[in-house]
Amino acid sequence: MFDLPVATRYHLARAPLAQALAQVRFPLRARLQSLEGVAGLQERLEERFPEMREQQVHEVALVIGPAGPAEAGSGTSRSWVFTSAQGPTLVLAPDSATLSAGSEYEGVEQFGELFATVLQALTEEAGVRTCDRLGVRYLSIAETSPGDPSAWRTWFRPELIGWPGGEVLTNGTSVVASMMQTQLSAPPVGELSGPPVAVQAIVRHGFVPVNSVVPGVPPIVLQNGAYLLDFDLFVPGAQPFEALELTSQFRSLHAQIDKFFRWTLTDTGADHFGLEERT
């Protein structure tokens, strides 16, 4: 997908990563709506996620017609939130499972291993046989300081920040908000081999103001203005729900995100985030 060299191993002392997410969607499993149906999964995952809570979300369906929008009906969806004291969060719904890590993220090895554990449990305890969608999303928020609100212009490559970060604006003109979105599609060959269909990507980046709400699991409310990097890669086609293969695809998608993020940084940005190359 990205014609860039594979990123060497590195560590960011002040990483802007806000959330790492891995998600699988699958055909509806009605048993996961009930306590009895989810009990086996809870026992299987209890060592990694000792606490489980019920979460209900009120949903409203709208019908759009000549007279404008009209409420057609509403309902409540039931999901389960698995947590540990200092670890990632797992949100389980009857048709999806989302693993989310914020400040507790320790690296792709640990995150991928935990994702594999969840996938295996879904197969053996919930009887999931088909994966309808596999997604990997890494959300980075590089906050600026009130003393230097334009510092983000020097952290990232000119190709990324575009004209809002260039010399077009007059003195006294500030960027209130600027967001770009690009959608990509790449055949499942080479580094992306494995998925049954083309790999898709949605890349969002730009400056967002204080108090902005960034969609995530959970949503993030910004305390300062920040430069946002949102990399979302996914496989939208149905395939067998095989934990080893899905974990392999997760790592392939992450590798694309990893080398793209490394490419975005300038030398100033690398210094700002405390980049350390590792062997």
Side-chain angles (χ1 to χ4, degrees), residues 3 17 25-26 47 52 54 66 73 86 99 102 105 113 141 143 147 181 215-216 224 231 247 258 277-278:
D3 188 14
L17 179 67
R25 297 181 186 173
F26 42 83
E47 183 177 346
M52 184 186 81
E54 181 181 352
Q86 296 179 333
L99 184 65
Y105 182 80
E113 183 272 330
I141 298 174
E143 292 192 349
Q181 175 173 307
N224 298 290
F231 305 138
T247 303
D258 191 39
E277 301 285 356
R278 292 183 170 178

Side-chain angles (χ1 to χ4, degrees), residues 4-131:
L4 298 167
V6 176
T8 57
R9 291 177 61 86
Y10 64 89
H11 171 73
L12 297 176
R14 296 172 294 278
L17 179 67
Q19 275 187 12
L21 301 120
Q23 183 187 74
V24 283
R25 297 181 186 173
F26 42 83
L28 187 68
R29 301 294 294 172
R31 63 191 290 187
L32 296 180
Q33 283 274 22
S34 67
L35 278 171
E36 295 80 5
V38 80
L41 267 171
Q42 183 185 23
E43 292 179 3
R44 177 69 174 267
L45 297 173
E46 191 169 15
E47 183 177 346
R48 307 300 294 271
F49 301 100
E51 298 181 3
M52 184 186 81
R53 294 180 175 84
E54 181 181 352
Q55 176 176 273
Q56 294 195 3
V57 179
H58 185 66
E59 298 176 333
V60 177
L62 299 178
V63 175
I64 306 298
E71 185 171 331
S74 63
T76 301
S77 65
R78 194 179 197 185
S79 60
W80 312 96
V81 180
F82 295 79
T83 59
S84 61
Q86 296 179 333
T89 297
L90 173 66
V91 179
L92 177 66
D95 61 353
S96 67
T98 304
L99 184 65
S100 172
S103 59
E104 67 276 9
Y105 182 80
E106 297 181 351
V108 65
E109 290 82 8
Q110 293 87 344
F111 192 67
E113 183 272 330
L114 183 56
F115 189 49
T117 299
V118 171
L119 295 174
Q120 195 66 39
L122 286 169
T123 299
E124 298 178 1
E125 301 294 340
V128 179
R129 296 290 178 264
T130 301
C131 173

Side-chain angles (χ1 to χ4, degrees), residues 5 11 28 48 62 65 74 79 105 107 116 125 166 168 174 188 193 218 239 242 255 257 259 262-263 265 279:
H11 171 73
L28 187 68
R48 307 300 294 271
L62 299 178
S74 63
S79 60
Y105 182 80
E125 301 294 340
V168 176
S174 59
S193 60
Q239 59 180 308
E242 298 177 357
I257 294 173
K259 67 180 181 179
R262 179 65 184 89
W263 170 83
L265 298 179
T279 58

